[in-house]
Amino acid sequence: MDSPAQTLVKAKPGKTKPKNGNKNGKISAREAYYERMSKHDMAPLWVVLKDIIPDEPKTVCAPAIWHFKDVKPIVMEAAEMISAKEATRRVLVLENPALRGQSRITQSLYAGLQLIMPGEIAPVHRHSPSAIRFILDGEGAYTQVEGEKTIMAPGDFVLTPNWAAHDHGNTSKQPMIWLDVLDVPTINFFETCFYKHYDNEKQNTRLDHEDSMARYGSGVLPDGMDVTTNRSPIINYPYARMRPILDRLARSGDIDPRHGARFRYANPLTGGWSMPTMGAHLALLPKNFKGKDYRATDSTIFVCVEGKGATKVGGKMLEWGPRDVFVVPSWQKYSHTAAQESVLFSISDRPAQEALGIWREQT
Ligand code: 1HN
């Protein structure tokens, strides 16, 4: 029987090579045909069609969790191995266990744990990938983005939009660790990465500290401002200012059965996402919360900020506590439970999917 699917379906597209002959040692007409087209860098679609167009999203990433208490000592060891200056950024990349060697936590996003020791500087540079920082441990280091300095504390959500010059420094007395999330795999997928190094260590501070939140985060805007930009002008959404909003939502009963009392970090100019490629939420799960099943096409990175709970995903139970980072792959059903009142930060590529009209969710 002449069945290309049987002989070829396991082969990778582009590497499609027919087996040398069928069980009678003869090369079938189809296999010979595939060899002829292969010489012209062509391959039969019908062999790979089911693989490249699955009925539903087939994720390549695995559910995974990094418990902060386990990884912190390993992150701290980096301080003895290399300086922030030599490393440019002293970061341990969180590699999805199913995507080792690819510097990514999901197919589209990079994540890492960055350590900056007292007195250190991470020198100024800029790049076309956008970055966010979510502060996990320590307090008092600063980042500086396009001339605005902000002092960071745990739970702060800090933006470094694409091509914005940024440098970090730790003028506090304690080490500081934060989660970096960047859209690097997305930018490299489009082959659009640019990077610029500066010779000076720091950029000049041009604006008051925390200028952008004061200027844009209060329901008014500078007169005549361009309000069409697809990135928020706010550099730091401080936890101290965000956390009470969750209480307010919860108190008024604004609790989603899947996500808890949740807000979306918004661009105050447009009401849209804070960045075009990455979107973030902060959610409060009330004590004894039992979330309903949910799935969406955006693989999502979560951070537990407060509390203790578990997320069931694809039959796996991820048990989390403060500063743990975990990941839920695309289109896998998940549900959160929380034994005590808990706060979860989350971030995904949902804005990019929405912009392309391909984001889907299901309850
Ligand atoms: C970067 O610029 C930072 O500025 C952190 O802190 C992690 C990972 C890849 C590319 C650039 C930072 C990064 C990065």
Side-chain angles (χ1 to χ4, degrees):
M1 205 177 59
D2 212 353
S3 168
Q6 276 173 359
T7 51
L8 292 175
V9 80
K10 289 264 166 357
K12 291 216 168 78
K15 295 203 176 138
T16 305
K17 264 213 171 124
K19 274 189 199 161
N20 260 343
N22 58 21
K23 60 175 181 285
N24 304 321
K26 279 200 185 138
I27 295 180
S28 74
R30 279 192 190 176
E31 287 160 352
Y33 172 53
Y34 299 157
E35 270 183 5
R36 287 196 300 281
M37 71 171 80
S38 180
K39 292 190 177 116
H40 297 272
D41 295 318
M42 295 192 288
L45 171 64
W46 56 90
V47 172
V48 294
L49 186 58
K50 279 272 175 223
D51 284 339
I52 64 172
I53 311 289
D55 294 339
E56 294 197 339
K58 258 199 224 160
T59 186
V60 293
C61 91
I65 185 161
W66 289 262
H67 292 289
F68 193 74
K69 68 166 172 36
D70 299 337
V71 299
K72 182 178 176 180
I74 303 177
V75 172
M76 293 306 298
E77 264 189 73
E80 288 143 41
M81 298 288 169
I82 192 164
S83 69
K85 195 172 168 182
E86 189 195 342
T88 306
R89 297 295 187 260
R90 191 203 285 115
V91 182
L92 300 195
V93 181
L94 301 182
E95 291 198 326
N96 189 286
L99 301 168
R100 294 304 311 273
Q102 297 185 42
S103 305
R104 65 189 66 185
I105 189 165
T106 68
Q107 183 71 315
S108 63
L109 298 180
Y110 157 102
L113 298 177
Q114 180 158 178
L115 171 67
I116 183 156
M117 298 299 285
E120 282 192 316
I121 282 175
V124 58
H125 68 197
R126 61 173 161 166
H127 37 69
S128 43
S130 301
I132 68 92
R133 335 243 163 243
F134 191 77
I135 313 310
L136 299 179
D137 202 34
E139 175 151 13
Y142 69 82
T143 189
Q144 189 160 222
V145 180
E146 287 184 326
E148 175 180 335
K149 205 177 240 189
T150 180
I151 309 288
M152 300 179 286
D156 287 4
F157 174 58
V158 178
L159 302 187
T160 308
N162 106 51
W163 210 235
H166 56 285
D167 53 283
H168 322 300
N170 190 349
T171 46
S172 85
K173 294 201 160 43
Q174 1 161 7
M176 207 159 148
I177 298 174
W178 63 72
L179 176 74
D180 290 310
V181 182
L182 288 91
D183 56 12
V184 166
T186 304
I187 299 309
N188 283 332
F189 174 77
F190 289 114
E191 301 180 320
T192 52
C193 192
F194 292 91
Y195 174 85
K196 182 166 163 49
H197 165 84
Y198 293 87
D199 288 333
N200 39 329
E201 278 199 322
K202 294 193 232 175
Q203 63 186 295
N204 294 329
T205 310
R206 286 185 292 107
L207 298 156
D208 288 343
H209 291 197
E210 330 292 346
D211 176 85
S212 58
M213 181 52 103
R215 196 185 288 241
Y216 308 108
S218 303
V220 296
L221 294 172
D223 198 17
M225 178 165 191
D226 174 11
V227 293
T228 61
T229 52
N230 66 1
R231 42 162 278 199
S232 170
I234 294 173
I235 298 306
N236 188 355
Y237 296 75
Y239 194 64
R241 191 160 162 180
M242 301 299 128
R243 179 65 177 84
I245 301 171
L246 295 180
D247 285 329
R248 197 173 276 274
L249 293 174
R251 262 203 315 276
S252 65
D254 201 353
I255 300 169
D256 183 278
R258 304 146 314 166
H259 306 302
R262 189 169 83 151
F263 70 69
R264 179 171 63 81
Y265 291 91
N267 173 351
L269 306 179
T270 61
W273 296 99
S274 47
M275 280 180 166
T277 49
M278 296 184 281
H281 292 93
L282 195 70
L284 183 142
L285 310 181
K287 186 173 173 3
N288 297 326
F289 181 74
K290 279 200 172 55
K292 289 227 158 74
D293 273 351
Y294 178 77
R295 64 176 172 173
T297 52
D298 52 321
S299 297
T300 304
I301 303 160
F302 289 89
V303 180
C304 170
V305 192
E306 295 176 31
K308 198 172 155 60
T311 298
K312 194 174 160 193
V313 48
K316 209 171 158 180
M317 194 64 97
L318 307 176
E319 291 181 7
W320 39 259
R323 305 181 183 88
D324 292 351
V325 178
F326 62 99
V327 60
V328 170
S330 166
W331 211 237
Q332 291 202 353
K333 260 190 216 156
Y334 68 93
S335 57
H336 301 305
T337 51
Q340 56 192 73
E341 182 178 271
S342 300
V343 176
L344 289 179
F345 168 82
S346 61
I347 184 157
S348 77
D349 62 8
R350 179 170 157 183
Q353 293 193 18
E354 286 185 356
L356 300 174
I358 53 177
W359 183 76
R360 300 283 187 282
E361 66 175 339
Q362 189 181 56
T363 296

